[in-house]
Amino acid sequence: MLWIGTPAGTLVEVDIATRQSVEHAVLSGSGTSALAATATGALLMAGSAGELVLLSEPAATTRSYAVHRDVARAAAHEFMRTATEVPDGDAEPDTHLVVTDGTRVWDADALATVNETDATDPTWLRIQAAVNNAR
């Protein structure tokens, strides 16, 4: 299962095995600013208007994730095999980040010049535009 928080405040549940998705209206009129899983499997969702929502999966829909352990382990090994560390002492470690809003990848030049956004853009992009406009 993959959980995605959208800029519109919708929580999208994606079943990777069946490629089916379900949308859950969680935050009304507020974008998702953070989404995290707790150690017990609950989801913690933060909204751009300051909301904090703790979500737990009902017992009736609880799935066994043990069969996916090998898939997760293989994905972790592949990540470790292909990932590289930022060199110690790098004067500009941000140059190693891939910044995306889910639609496009933003390079440093594009981020330095963005000055228009709308309510569906991620919070970090709206803040960057506001900083650029203030300059």
Side-chain angles (χ1 to χ4, degrees), residues 104-128:
R104 68 180 272 201
V105 174
W106 291 82
D107 63 22
D109 293 334
L111 283 174
T113 59
V114 66
N115 58 12
E116 291 183 21
T117 59
D118 60 46
T120 62
D121 286 321
T123 304
W124 63 265
L125 186 57
R126 289 183 283 165
I127 291 170
Q128 182 66 54

Side-chain angles (χ1 to χ4, degrees), residues 21-39:
S21 65
V22 178
E23 291 186 6
H24 305 278
V26 177
L27 302 172
S28 178
S30 178
T32 303
S33 59
L35 181 63
T38 67

Side-chain angles (χ1 to χ4, degrees), residues 1-3 7 14-15 20 22 43 51 67 70 73-74 78-79 81 86 93 96 100 105-106 117-118 129 134:
M1 197 61 58
L2 175 66
W3 296 95
V14 180
D15 186 324
Q20 300 291 315
V22 178
L43 294 175
E51 308 95 325
V67 292
D70 291 336
R73 185 175 289 120
E78 180 64 14
F79 172 79
R81 187 184 70 74
V86 174
H96 299 278
T100 181
V105 174
W106 291 82
T117 59
D118 60 46

